[in-house]
Coordinates of all heavy atoms in Angstrom, one line a residue:
M1 N 92.0 88.6 80.1 CA 90.6 88.4 79.8 C 89.9 89.7 79.8 O 90.1 90.6 80.7 CB 89.9 87.5 80.9 CG 88.5 87.3 80.8 SD 87.7 86.4 82.2 CE 87.3 87.8 83.2
Y2 N 89.0 89.9 78.8 CA 88.3 91.2 78.7 C 87.1 91.1 79.7 O 86.4 90.2 79.8 CB 87.7 91.4 77.3 CG 88.7 92.0 76.4 CD1 89.4 91.2 75.5 CD2 89.0 93.3 76.4 CE1 90.3 91.7 74.6 CE2 89.9 93.9 75.6 CZ 90.6 93.1 74.7 OH 91.5 93.6 73.8
V3 N 87.0 92.2 80.5 CA 85.9 92.3 81.4 C 84.8 93.2 80.8 O 83.7 92.9 80.8 CB 86.4 93.0 82.8 CG1 85.3 93.3 83.7 CG2 87.4 92.0 83.5
C4 N 85.3 94.3 80.2 CA 84.3 95.3 79.6 C 84.6 95.3 78.1 O 85.6 95.8 77.6 CB 84.5 96.6 80.2 SG 83.4 97.9 79.5
I5 N 83.6 94.7 77.4 CA 83.8 94.6 75.9 C 83.6 96.0 75.3 O 84.3 96.4 74.4 CB 82.8 93.6 75.3 CG1 82.9 92.2 76.0 CG2 82.9 93.5 73.8 CD1 84.3 91.6 75.7
C6 N 82.6 96.7 75.8 CA 82.3 98.0 75.2 C 83.5 98.9 75.2 O 83.7 99.7 74.3 CB 81.1 98.7 76.0 SG 79.6 97.8 75.9
K7 N 84.2 98.9 76.3 CA 85.4 99.8 76.4 C 86.7 99.1 76.2 O 87.8 99.8 76.3 CB 85.3 100.5 77.8 CG 84.2 101.5 78.0 CD 84.5 102.7 77.0 CE 83.4 103.7 77.1 NZ 83.6 104.9 76.3
G8 N 86.7 97.8 76.0 CA 87.9 97.1 75.8 C 88.8 97.0 77.0 O 90.0 97.1 76.9
I9 N 88.2 96.9 78.2 CA 89.0 96.9 79.4 C 89.2 95.5 79.9 O 88.3 94.6 80.0 CB 88.2 97.6 80.6 CG1 87.8 99.1 80.1 CG2 89.0 97.7 81.8 CD1 88.9 100.0 79.8
T10 N 90.5 95.2 80.2 CA 90.9 93.8 80.6 C 90.9 93.7 82.1 O 91.0 94.8 82.8 CB 92.2 93.4 80.0 OG1 93.2 94.3 80.6 CG2 92.2 93.5 78.5
E11 N 90.9 92.5 82.6 CA 91.1 92.2 84.0 C 92.4 92.8 84.5 O 92.5 93.4 85.6 CB 91.1 90.7 84.2 CG 91.2 90.2 85.6 CD 91.1 88.7 85.7 OE1 90.7 88.1 84.8 OE2 91.5 88.2 86.8
Q12 N 93.5 92.7 83.7 CA 94.8 93.3 84.1 C 94.7 94.8 84.3 O 95.4 95.3 85.2 CB 95.8 92.9 83.0 CG 97.2 93.3 83.4 CD 97.7 92.7 84.8 OE1 97.5 91.5 85.1 NE2 98.2 93.5 85.7
Q13 N 94.0 95.5 83.4 CA 93.9 96.9 83.6 C 93.2 97.3 84.9 O 93.6 98.3 85.5 CB 93.1 97.5 82.4 CG 93.9 97.6 81.1 CD 93.1 98.0 79.9 OE1 92.3 97.3 79.3 NE2 93.2 99.3 79.6
I14 N 92.2 96.5 85.2 CA 91.5 96.8 86.5 C 92.5 96.5 87.7 O 92.5 97.4 88.6 CB 90.2 95.9 86.6 CG1 89.2 96.3 85.6 CG2 89.6 96.0 88.0 CD1 88.0 95.5 85.5
R15 N 93.2 95.5 87.6 CA 94.2 95.2 88.7 C 95.2 96.3 88.8 O 95.6 96.6 89.9 CB 94.8 93.8 88.4 CG 93.9 92.6 88.6 CD 94.6 91.3 88.6 NE 93.6 90.2 88.6 CZ 92.9 89.8 89.6 NH1 92.9 90.4 90.7 NH2 92.0 88.8 89.4
S16 N 95.7 96.8 87.6 CA 96.6 97.9 87.6 C 96.1 99.1 88.3 O 96.7 99.8 89.1 CB 97.1 98.2 86.2 OG 97.8 97.2 85.7
S17 N 94.8 99.4 88.0 CA 94.1 100.6 88.6 C 94.0 100.4 90.1 O 94.3 101.4 90.9 CB 92.7 100.8 88.0 OG 92.8 101.4 86.8
V18 N 93.7 99.2 90.6 CA 93.6 99.0 92.0 C 95.0 99.2 92.6 O 95.2 99.8 93.7 CB 93.1 97.5 92.3 CG1 93.2 97.2 93.8 CG2 91.6 97.4 91.8
A19 N 96.1 98.7 91.9 CA 97.4 98.8 92.5 C 97.8 100.3 92.6 O 98.6 100.7 93.4 CB 98.4 98.1 91.6
Q20 N 97.2 101.1 91.7 CA 97.5 102.6 91.7 C 96.5 103.4 92.6 O 96.5 104.6 92.6 CB 97.5 103.1 90.3 CG 98.7 102.6 89.5 CD 98.5 102.8 88.0 OE1 97.7 103.7 87.6 NE2 99.3 102.1 87.2
G21 N 95.7 102.6 93.3 CA 94.9 103.3 94.3 C 93.4 103.3 94.2 O 92.6 103.7 95.0
A22 N 92.9 102.7 93.0 CA 91.4 102.6 92.9 C 90.9 101.6 93.9 O 91.4 100.6 94.1 CB 91.1 102.2 91.5
S23 N 89.8 102.0 94.6 CA 89.3 101.1 95.6 C 87.8 100.9 95.5 O 87.2 100.1 96.2 CB 89.6 101.7 97.0 OG 89.1 102.9 97.2
T24 N 87.1 101.7 94.6 CA 85.7 101.5 94.4 C 85.3 101.4 92.9 O 86.1 101.8 92.1 CB 84.9 102.8 95.0 OG1 85.3 103.9 94.2 CG2 85.3 103.0 96.5
M25 N 84.1 101.0 92.7 CA 83.6 101.0 91.3 C 83.6 102.4 90.7 O 83.9 102.6 89.5 CB 82.2 100.3 91.2 CG 82.2 98.8 91.3 SD 83.2 98.0 90.0 CE 82.3 98.5 88.6
R26 N 83.3 103.4 91.5 CA 83.3 104.7 91.0 C 84.7 105.1 90.5 O 84.9 105.8 89.5 CB 82.9 105.7 92.1 CG 82.8 107.1 91.7 CD 82.2 108.0 92.8 NE 80.8 107.7 92.9 CZ 79.9 108.5 93.5 NH1 80.3 109.7 94.0 NH2 78.7 108.2 93.6
D27 N 85.8 104.7 91.3 CA 87.1 105.0 90.9 C 87.4 104.3 89.5 O 88.0 105.0 88.6 CB 88.1 104.4 91.9 CG 88.1 105.1 93.2 OD1 87.7 106.3 93.3 OD2 88.6 104.5 94.2
L28 N 87.0 103.1 89.4 CA 87.2 102.4 88.1 C 86.5 103.0 86.9 O 86.9 103.2 85.8 CB 86.8 100.9 88.2 CG 87.6 100.0 89.1 CD1 87.1 98.6 89.1 CD2 89.1 100.0 88.7
Y29 N 85.3 103.5 87.2 CA 84.5 104.2 86.2 C 85.2 105.5 85.8 O 85.3 105.8 84.6 CB 83.1 104.5 86.8 CG 82.2 105.2 85.9 CD1 81.3 104.5 85.0 CD2 82.1 106.6 85.8 CE1 80.4 105.1 84.2 CE2 81.3 107.3 84.9 CZ 80.4 106.5 84.1 OH 79.6 107.1 83.2
R30 N 85.7 106.2 86.8 CA 86.4 107.5 86.5 C 87.7 107.2 85.7 O 88.0 107.9 84.7 CB 86.8 108.2 87.7 CG 85.6 108.9 88.4 CD 86.1 110.1 89.2 NE 85.1 110.5 90.2 CZ 85.2 110.2 91.5 NH1 86.2 109.6 92.0 NH2 84.2 110.6 92.3
Q31 N 88.4 106.2 86.1 CA 89.7 106.0 85.4 C 89.6 105.2 84.1 O 90.3 105.5 83.2 CB 90.6 105.2 86.4 CG 91.0 106.0 87.6 CD 91.9 105.2 88.6 OE1 92.4 104.2 88.2 NE2 92.0 105.7 89.8
L32 N 88.7 104.2 84.1 CA 88.7 103.3 82.9 C 87.4 103.4 82.1 O 87.3 102.8 81.0 CB 89.0 101.9 83.3 CG 90.3 101.6 84.1 CD1 90.3 100.2 84.6 CD2 91.5 101.8 83.2
E33 N 86.4 104.0 82.7 CA 85.0 104.0 82.1 C 84.4 102.7 82.0 O 83.6 102.4 81.2 CB 85.0 104.7 80.7 CG 85.5 106.2 80.8 CD 85.4 106.9 79.5 OE1 85.2 106.2 78.4 OE2 85.4 108.1 79.5
V34 N 84.8 101.8 83.0 CA 84.2 100.5 83.0 C 82.7 100.6 83.4 O 82.3 101.4 84.3 CB 84.9 99.6 84.1 CG1 84.1 98.3 84.4 CG2 86.3 99.3 83.7
G35 N 81.8 99.9 82.6 CA 80.4 100.0 82.9 C 79.7 101.2 82.4 O 78.5 101.4 82.8
S36 N 80.3 102.0 81.6 CA 79.7 103.3 81.2 C 78.8 103.1 80.0 O 78.1 104.1 79.6 CB 80.8 104.3 80.9 OG 81.6 103.8 79.8
Q37 N 78.7 101.9 79.4 CA 77.8 101.8 78.3 C 76.7 100.8 78.6 O 75.7 101.2 79.1 CB 78.6 101.4 77.0 CG 79.4 102.6 76.5 CD 80.0 102.4 75.1 OE1 79.6 101.5 74.4 NE2 80.9 103.3 74.8
C38 N 76.8 99.5 78.3 CA 75.7 98.6 78.5 C 75.6 98.2 80.0 O 74.5 97.8 80.4 CB 75.9 97.4 77.6 SG 77.1 96.2 78.2
G39 N 76.6 98.3 80.7 CA 76.6 97.9 82.1 C 76.7 96.4 82.5 O 76.7 96.1 83.6
K40 N 76.8 95.6 81.5 CA 76.8 94.1 81.7 C 78.1 93.7 82.4 O 78.1 92.6 83.0 CB 76.7 93.4 80.4 CG 75.3 93.4 79.8 CD 75.2 92.6 78.5 CE 73.8 92.7 78.0 NZ 73.7 92.1 76.6
C41 N 79.1 94.5 82.4 CA 80.4 94.1 83.0 C 80.5 94.5 84.4 O 81.5 94.1 85.1 CB 81.5 94.8 82.2 SG 81.3 96.6 82.3
V42 N 79.5 95.2 85.0 CA 79.7 95.8 86.3 C 79.9 94.7 87.4 O 80.7 94.8 88.2 CB 78.5 96.7 86.7 CG1 78.5 97.1 88.1 CG2 78.5 97.9 85.8
C43 N 79.1 93.6 87.3 CA 79.2 92.5 88.3 C 80.6 91.9 88.2 O 81.2 91.7 89.3 CB 78.1 91.5 88.0 SG 78.0 90.2 89.3
T44 N 81.1 91.6 87.0 CA 82.4 91.0 86.9 C 83.5 91.9 87.3 O 84.4 91.6 88.0 CB 82.7 90.5 85.4 OG1 81.6 89.7 85.0 CG2 84.0 89.8 85.3
A45 N 83.3 93.2 87.0 CA 84.3 94.2 87.3 C 84.4 94.3 88.9 O 85.5 94.4 89.4 CB 84.0 95.6 86.7
R46 N 83.3 94.2 89.5 CA 83.2 94.3 91.0 C 84.0 93.1 91.6 O 84.7 93.3 92.6 CB 81.8 94.4 91.4 CG 81.6 94.7 92.9 CD 80.2 94.9 93.3 NE 79.7 96.3 92.8 CZ 78.6 96.6 92.2 NH1 77.8 95.6 91.9 NH2 78.3 97.8 91.9
Q47 N 83.8 92.0 91.0 CA 84.5 90.8 91.5 C 86.0 90.9 91.3 O 86.8 90.5 92.2 CB 84.0 89.5 90.7 CG 82.6 89.1 91.1 CD 82.0 88.0 90.3 OE1 82.6 87.6 89.3 NE2 80.9 87.5 90.6
V48 N 86.4 91.4 90.2 CA 87.9 91.6 89.9 C 88.4 92.6 90.9 O 89.5 92.4 91.5 CB 88.1 92.0 88.5 CG1 89.6 92.4 88.3 CG2 87.7 91.0 87.5
L49 N 87.6 93.7 91.2 CA 88.0 94.7 92.1 C 88.2 94.1 93.5 O 89.3 94.3 94.1 CB 86.9 95.8 92.2 CG 87.1 96.9 93.2 CD1 88.3 97.7 93.0 CD2 85.9 97.8 93.2
S50 N 87.3 93.4 94.0 CA 87.4 92.9 95.4 C 88.5 91.8 95.4 O 89.2 91.7 96.4 CB 86.1 92.4 96.0 OG 85.3 91.7 95.0
S51 N 88.7 91.0 94.4 CA 89.7 90.0 94.5 C 91.1 90.6 94.3 O 92.1 90.0 94.6 CB 89.5 88.9 93.4 OG 89.8 89.4 92.1
S52 N 91.2 91.9 93.8 CA 92.5 92.6 93.7 C 92.9 93.3 94.9 O 94.1 93.7 95.0 CB 92.4 93.5 92.5 OG 92.0 92.9 91.4
Q53 N 92.0 93.6 95.8 CA 92.3 94.4 96.9 C 93.0 93.6 98.0 O 92.5 92.4 98.3 CB 91.0 95.0 97.5 CG 90.4 96.1 96.6 CD 89.1 96.6 97.0 OE1 88.3 95.8 97.5 NE2 88.8 97.9 96.7
I54 N 94.0 94.2 98.6 CA 94.7 93.5 99.7 C 94.0 93.8 101.0 O 93.8 94.9 101.3 CB 96.2 94.0 99.7 CG1 96.8 93.6 98.4 CG2 96.9 93.3 100.9 CD1 98.2 94.3 98.2
E55 N 93.7 92.7 101.7 CA 93.0 92.9 103.0 C 94.1 93.0 104.0 O 95.0 92.2 104.1 CB 92.0 91.8 103.2 CG 91.0 91.8 102.1 CD 89.8 91.1 102.5 OE1 89.6 90.8 103.7 OE2 89.0 90.8 101.6
C56 N 94.0 94.0 104.9 CA 95.0 94.1 106.0 C 94.4 94.6 107.2 O 93.2 94.9 107.3 CB 96.2 95.0 105.6 SG 95.7 96.6 104.9
Ligands
FES101 FE1 81.2 97.1 80.0 FE2 79.3 97.1 78.2 S1 80.6 95.5 78.7 S2 79.8 98.7 79.5

């Protein structure tokens, strides 16, 4: 599923970034540029980020 239409970023790409160490929206912004244009995806991207993080 596409999370960020402006940049063509999928949920899977966000999950891959988290698996490689991204832990904040800033990390996702730096790596994928999620939310760098219209910003409408930020809320959904944040939800994908938190659901991808392993709690321990
Ligand atoms: Fe992500 Fe527009 S949908 S910046």
